Amino acid sequence: MEAKQKELLKQLAQLGEVILIHEEGSRVLLNEEGEIPLQTQLDAVLYFLQRLDCSMLKLILDDSITYQNFEKTLFIKKLDAALDEFIEAGDTYLNRYKGFCNSKRCNYKCKGYSFVGNNSRNYFDLIIDVKDEVVNDIYECFSFKCEDEGIHKNEHIVIDKSDDPF
């Protein structure tokens, strides 16, 4: 992670009244007891994805890396359009569930998250490749299996619509 990105994380963690919600439902007020929960780039990426904040993701992600085989600027544009679909459906937050790719033909057992809208229950599933605390890739998964059973999902929101017939 670049020095600029680390400094941005420090500044974000100093904001008041920001709440971090863990998968199991526990809530942690940022800066509680002087600790900074957003200590890694992954923490920040997950935090801002859940908050539908593509502007902050643009600042946090590395410019020199491709995401889903797209240059960062094009990936952010496609991701922003997908996040807008959640917002238009009435979502203000995305719930996050751990899981993995369940297809032996592509990224079998690669870890990721299912992001589900808090109101619409629409969703997308992302594999997030992390090495040495740096996010090296983010891409959609169409064979995702959540670790938790019984998660209600509605419409699948697609980030890359380039294969769509219309």
Side-chain angles (χ1 to χ4, degrees):
M1 186 179 326
E2 298 173 13
K4 179 182 171 185
Q5 292 166 328
K6 287 181 183 180
E7 182 59 32
L8 179 61
L9 288 178
K10 286 180 185 177
Q11 290 173 358
L12 292 171
Q14 293 171 358
L15 295 173
E17 300 300 319
V18 178
I19 298 173
L20 178 66
I21 303 172
H22 295 286
E23 291 97 312
E24 66 273 77
S26 64
R27 296 170 180 255
V28 178
L29 182 63
L30 297 185
N31 299 324
E32 193 171 85
E33 299 172 11
E35 294 185 14
I36 303 171
L38 297 178
Q39 294 180 7
T40 67
Q41 185 188 29
L42 176 62
D43 291 342
V45 166
L46 295 173
Y47 180 86
F48 291 112
L49 268 172
Q50 288 184 262
R51 281 151 188 81
L52 305 159
D53 191 340
C54 216
S55 297
M56 290 305 296
L57 290 167
K58 182 179 178 181
L59 294 173
I60 292 166
L61 294 175
D62 191 325
D63 291 335
S64 65
I65 295 176
T66 61
Y67 301 93
Q68 194 164 312
N69 294 324
F70 295 110
E71 295 291 327
K72 177 186 154 184
T73 54
L74 181 54
F75 176 77
I76 290 293
K77 183 178 178 181
K78 289 175 175 283
L79 180 62
D80 195 31
L83 295 178
D84 283 347
E85 289 186 52
F86 285 104
I87 293 166
E88 289 168 9
D91 296 313
T92 58
Y93 183 83
L94 300 179
N95 294 300
R96 178 181 66 183
Y97 304 95
K98 287 183 181 181
F100 57 90
C101 178
N102 200 31
S103 173
K104 291 184 180 178
R105 294 181 303 186
C106 59
N107 300 298
Y108 189 58
K109 298 291 181 183
C110 285
K111 295 180 181 182
Y113 301 90
S114 187
F115 293 90
V116 181
N118 64 326
N119 291 313
S120 71
R121 306 304 294 168
N122 294 344
Y123 72 98
F124 59 39
D125 301 318
L126 300 177
I127 302 297
I128 302 178
D129 179 31
V130 179
K131 291 182 184 142
D132 299 325
E133 297 185 9
V134 175
V135 175
N136 288 315
D137 204 352
I138 300 172
Y139 48 92
E140 293 177 281
C141 181
F142 296 99
S143 298
F144 196 79
K145 180 167 176 54
C146 288
E147 292 176 3
D148 297 329
E149 297 291 324
I151 296 169
H152 177 70
K153 296 179 179 179
N154 283 335
E155 183 182 329
H156 186 190
I157 304 294
V158 179
I159 294 172
D160 181 18
K161 294 176 175 46
S162 61
D163 289 338
D164 285 356
F166 303 101

